[in-house]
Amino acid sequence: MIWKWFIFAAMAAVIILAFVLPSPMDPRLSLGPVDAYRIFYFHVPAAWVAALSFMVGMVQSARYLKTKDMDFDRRAVAANRLGMAFSAMALVTGSIFAKMTWGEFWNWSEIREVSIFILLLIYGGYFALRSALSDDEVRATFSAVMTIIFTVAALFLIFVLPRIYPAFSQHPSDTIVDNEGKMSLSPMVALVFGLSMAAFTALYYWLYEITVRGSRYFDKNRLES
Amino acid sequence: MSISSGRGYISYMYQLEVADLSKSFGPRRIFEKVSFSLNTGQGLAITGPNGSGKSTMIHILTGLGRASSGVVRYTHDSNMLSFEEYRNRMSVVTPYHEFYDAMTALENLDFYTRLAGLEVTGQEMMESLRTFGLGERGRDRVAAYSSGMKQRLKYALALLRRPEILLLDEPTAYLDQSGKKGIFDFLDSVKSRALIIIATNEKEEAGFADHVCQLGG
Amino acid sequence: MPTMSVNWAGRILTVFKKEMLSEFRTRYAFNAVIMFSLVTLTVVSFSLGMNRPGPEVMAALFWVVLFFAAASGLAQVFVKEEEARTAGYLRLYAPATAVLVGKIIFNLFLLVCMAVLLVPLFVILLDTVPQNFILFLSGLFLGLIGLSGSTTIIAAIVSRASVKGALFAVLSFPVLLPLLVAAIEITLVSLVGGNFAAAWPPLQLLLAYDVVMITLSIMLFDFIWHM
């Protein structure tokens, strides 16, 4: 397990650079304190990992239904557990940023903010369902089916809501992507941001594998005791 | 291939194979590596003390329950039957299945036979109820039935399907002497053309079986 | 080996008729849904008091009442089968799809009954008259189809769980959210007298949602029913 040290080094570098470098935002265009925009190095990767994790959970659930192999259930649970943690992280960092720049923690018309909140509701429902089912196989199957229903509902939300409310988004990521000068993605910022994305993704993968191995170990011991 | 019609029975050879069947609930092992095979015309008694997994075994054999490992296979001419195929030939009597309280016995029978696609007339349903001593009570709601009457009703439903596979868990539970006699007559009449599995500890019931599968020690 | 043809329409109808018969005699789900919608409506109109909120709020309140009333009773179709231990024979005698579709239709019937009672009360108590009534009814009906189509399978899921009622609402809400957003939008357009063209995008969404969710339920139901 050498490369967990690489994750450590990359994370440490991201954290230091995020605070040492100048803010990624042009001070003339900044809403609120310009340093608030440093959160972008952590908020965006956390949101990305949350979305990635949701997809991993969905794929593993589908594989479980196809094969009925308990290992895929463990993988789905690991993905959803981490997805929940990273969604919470994205939600909290996003709210702090919103308070500093737009003046309020919460805005129901902000689609991305609402989406991540719904994602948390979905995870809450998923784990509530799991704890209410006692048989292992029933629990695995029902929660996998529920994950797929949730995913389809979430697709409806993500792709269709912005069309119904086209005017609502005031989220800065629109401007990061098309780079119209509001947020200056200088080469250095892009590098640190890229490093942060890579480090978060690698961290996620590492945590995911460790969680899966942990629950395998737990289940094996439970059966043998 | 032919289709059974009217009251006539055309019997087919079915085979049930059970190989290395194990079941555990979490860390608790119920039974392990149970194997047997059975043909139409044969009976098997599953015996064993309380908690040895008799009911669990029946539940798995109906196809509704799942084993932890092992194989359950119903075959006909060595073709494996799907769940849909074998449950259409199966009747099940267990303490864990109930009828709809709010409906009468006849409405219940009508409901299940329609669902199964059996063409059964009201006359035949009445006859079936009469066979098990419920002839007068067909229009009563099941809520007003005693445990023994509900048990008889389960056999009335089983009879209507003309089962070729019969799974019974404590077949004479709640029944009085006349009830038991009715059940034994019924078992006698189907024994030659059905594959029968009985989970029981009663000597009299186990007498219908040619083979015994002892669980739990 | 005898083969049996499956008459789907006949079996779905058999399941639906059974639900109607036992519901007519016990009125378990019916009473829950009707009473819950009345209570919620009363709470809403009571707490509004003299205030007369705009059509945006009215459209949202209308669907909030519908959602909670539905959450109170729709799980019954499967919960009562498990509690009365009738699910076993149902599994042994009925094809899974017939059970699901029969129960979706029954839940839809329950919701339509509720809407028949609720809509006039809503108009009277909250003094809100839809200006485009045809559009209002179209949105309402499509919404109710989606409501029963997507939650009946969730009812089957929670029927095996230890905390049924609360779990049903918790699991249904995220699934119903796209439906609620679209339905509220259509109701709003109908309240202010807009035409079908103005409500076309949410109507399309609602239609797609209904078709996708019912298809998905039918595809996934086998996994749940035969556990």
Side-chain angles (χ1 to χ4, degrees):
Chain A
M1 224 31 202
I2 274 191
W3 55 280
K4 75 181 171 197
W5 295 105
F6 284 107
I7 298 175
F8 172 71
M11 268 304 188
V14 168
I15 292 169
I16 293 167
L17 287 172
F19 290 99
V20 169
L21 287 176
S23 166
M25 187 64 181
D26 185 338
R28 284 164 299 168
L29 298 169
S30 166
L31 297 161
V34 72
D35 283 331
Y37 286 80
R38 292 178 192 277
I39 213 164
F40 144 84
Y41 291 120
F42 307 103
H43 170 69
V44 178
W48 146 251
V49 168
L52 175 72
S53 194
F54 185 66
M55 282 185 284
V56 172
M58 141 83 181
V59 169
Q60 303 299 353
S61 297
R63 287 171 83 188
Y64 173 77
L65 287 182
K66 206 156 176 237
T67 61
K68 294 272 172 184
D69 178 350
M70 268 299 175
D71 208 50
F72 292 123
D73 180 55
R74 287 190 272 269
R75 286 171 179 277
V77 173
N80 286 343
R81 204 167 273 163
L82 291 171
M84 192 163 169
F86 279 95
S87 315
M89 225 182 288
L91 190 76
V92 169
T93 50
S95 293
I96 293 171
F97 177 77
K99 177 68 181 172
M100 304 291 277
T101 53
W102 310 330
E104 51 191 359
F105 282 114
W106 192 257
N107 187 348
W108 277 114
S109 64
E110 171 46 53
I111 285 172
R112 282 187 190 76
E113 208 175 347
V114 173
S115 309
I116 208 113
F117 180 68
I118 293 162
L119 203 55
L120 278 174
L121 279 185
I122 287 175
Y123 287 133
Y126 177 86
F127 287 110
L129 174 66
R130 286 188 74 89
S131 63
L133 294 165
S134 54
D135 183 274
D136 286 352
E137 211 178 333
V138 170
R139 187 194 310 121
T141 307
F142 282 23
S143 54
V145 167
M146 209 56 231
T147 302
I148 290 172
I149 297 175
F150 279 145
T151 309
V152 174
L155 287 179
F156 266 101
L157 272 175
I158 290 165
F159 289 108
V160 192
L161 280 193
R163 272 188 223 158
I164 294 184
Y165 303 111
F168 273 167
S169 187
Q170 51 177 337
H171 198 281
S173 80
D174 296 339
T175 53
I176 293 175
V177 176
D178 44 30
N179 206 6
E180 284 171 350
K182 266 192 174 177
M183 188 173 278
S184 54
L185 262 180
S186 70
M188 196 57 198
V189 172
L191 183 74
V192 177
F193 178 66
L195 186 64
S196 178
M197 288 290 264
F200 265 79
T201 311
L203 177 72
Y204 168 68
Y205 183 70
W206 179 63
L207 287 172
Y208 172 71
E209 283 297 324
I210 243 180
T211 315
V212 171
R213 269 190 290 147
S215 55
R216 256 181 225 150
Y217 181 78
F218 178 79
D219 285 351
K220 195 164 157 258
N221 277 9
R222 194 181 54 149
L223 283 179
E224 279 171 6
S225 64
Chain B
M1 300 276 141
S2 64
I3 292 171
S4 63
S5 57
R7 301 235 17 116
Y9 243 120
I10 297 172
S11 41
Y12 299 88
M13 286 297 282
Y14 291 97
Q15 193 177 35
L16 165 63
E17 283 172 62
V18 171
D20 291 338
L21 202 68
S22 306
K23 176 71 182 178
S24 46
F25 289 116
R28 204 160 53 89
R29 295 221 171 112
I30 308 297
F31 49 76
E32 228 178 343
K33 303 243 174 213
V34 177
S35 303
F36 54 82
S37 81
L38 205 66
N39 290 318
T40 293
Q42 294 181 317
L44 174 79
I46 299 174
T47 61
N50 297 136
S52 60
K54 297 189 295 295
S55 296
T56 309
M57 174 70 86
I58 294 285
H59 191 56
I60 292 168
L61 295 180
T62 60
L64 297 181
R66 250 166 256 274
S68 306
S69 65
V71 185
V72 174
R73 194 162 43 195
Y74 288 93
T75 54
H76 167 255
D77 285 347
S78 66
N79 295 320
M80 190 171 154
L81 302 182
S82 69
F83 171 69
E84 303 280 322
E85 284 170 326
Y86 69 75
R87 70 151 196 209
N88 282 336
R89 297 168 174 80
M90 178 189 280
S91 282
V92 180
V93 176
T94 85
Y96 304 104
H97 296 160
E98 297 292 346
F99 292 100
Y100 294 100
D101 269 354
M103 306 201 304
T104 69
L106 279 171
E107 283 164 349
N108 269 293
L109 294 182
D110 185 55
F111 173 65
Y112 290 112
T113 50
R114 265 175 207 277
L115 276 183
L118 301 168
E119 283 167 21
V120 173
T121 62
Q123 201 68 40
E124 284 171 302
M125 283 191 267
M126 279 308 285
E127 215 169 283
S128 182
L129 286 176
R130 228 172 281 132
T131 308
F132 294 100
L134 294 172
E136 314 292 297
R137 306 292 300 268
R139 291 182 202 290
D140 288 5
R141 291 194 192 174
V142 174
Y145 271 36
S146 70
S147 306
M149 291 166 72
K150 286 181 188 167
Q151 185 76 355
R152 288 162 185 244
L153 185 55
K154 289 176 192 173
Y155 282 96
L157 179 61
L159 177 63
L160 285 172
R161 188 171 244 182
R162 298 181 199 121
E164 290 157 301
I165 300 164
L166 196 56
L167 302 181
L168 310 174
D169 189 358
E170 313 221 1
T172 56
Y174 309 116
L175 289 176
D176 54 21
Q177 275 312 316
S178 81
K180 281 184 185 168
K181 185 174 178 309
I183 304 314
F184 292 146
D185 289 347
F186 167 65
L187 289 182
D188 271 332
S189 73
V190 296
K191 183 154 190 326
S192 61
R193 55 182 180 247
L195 182 163
I196 304 177
I197 297 178
I198 304 175
T200 184
N201 281 324
E202 308 272 323
K203 286 235 158 40
E204 209 178 0
E205 295 165 9
F208 281 89
D210 325 292
H211 305 275
V212 176
C213 169
Q214 170 86 29
L215 294 179
Chain C
M1 196 162 61
T3 50
M4 286 174 205
S5 65
V6 176
N7 170 6
W8 285 106
R11 291 184 188 189
I12 290 168
L13 195 68
T14 304
V15 172
F16 176 67
K17 270 158 72 181
K18 187 277 287 180
E19 295 296 330
M20 292 288 279
L21 185 65
S22 66
E23 183 59 39
F24 177 73
R25 289 186 185 157
T26 60
R27 291 192 203 88
Y28 196 44
F30 191 78
N31 285 347
V33 167
I34 297 295
M35 285 317 295
F36 212 92
S37 60
L38 284 182
V39 168
T40 326
L41 185 66
T42 314
V43 169
V44 164
S45 72
F46 213 73
S47 55
L48 285 177
M50 284 289 111
N51 296 320
R52 291 282 305 278
E56 288 88 356
V57 177
M58 281 305 181
L61 284 180
F62 178 66
W63 281 94
V64 166
V65 174
L66 279 182
F67 170 76
F68 279 107
S72 73
L74 293 194
Q76 281 308 320
V77 278
F78 281 107
V79 169
K80 70 177 182 224
E81 301 272 5
E82 294 295 338
E83 282 177 353
R85 303 209 290 198
T86 50
Y89 274 146
L90 201 55
R91 286 189 176 94
L92 286 172
Y93 280 81
T97 307
V99 173
L100 179 72
V101 178
K103 283 173 187 278
I104 287 178
I105 297 173
F106 173 72
N107 268 347
L108 179 62
F109 169 80
L110 213 58
L111 286 173
V112 169
C113 287
M114 173 184 76
V116 166
L117 188 82
L118 203 58
V119 171
L121 281 176
F122 200 80
V123 170
I124 295 164
L125 286 178
L126 298 177
D127 195 18
T128 310
V129 185
Q131 301 300 309
N132 186 341
F133 204 65
I134 308 279
L135 177 61
F136 176 78
L137 288 183
S138 315
L140 178 61
F141 192 61
L142 283 178
L144 295 184
I145 290 176
L147 211 56
S148 84
S150 61
T151 57
T152 304
I153 190 169
I154 300 179
I157 288 174
V158 302
S159 70
R160 304 277 292 274
S162 51
V163 278
K164 300 173 175 71
L167 202 55
F168 182 68
V170 165
L171 295 178
S172 298
F173 179 67
V175 175
L176 288 176
L177 211 55
L179 175 141
L180 290 174
V181 169
I184 289 170
E185 186 77 2
I186 299 167
T187 304
L188 172 61
V189 173
S190 76
L191 286 183
V192 298
N195 56 11
F196 271 83
W200 188 235
L203 274 171
Q204 263 179 317
L205 165 60
L206 209 49
L207 203 60
Y209 179 91
D210 290 357
V211 172
V212 169
M213 279 303 177
I214 291 175
T215 314
L216 185 71
S217 296
I218 291 173
M219 281 164 54
L220 292 174
F221 187 63
D222 258 352
F223 290 112
I224 289 171
W225 189 235
H226 291 304
M227 270 316 288

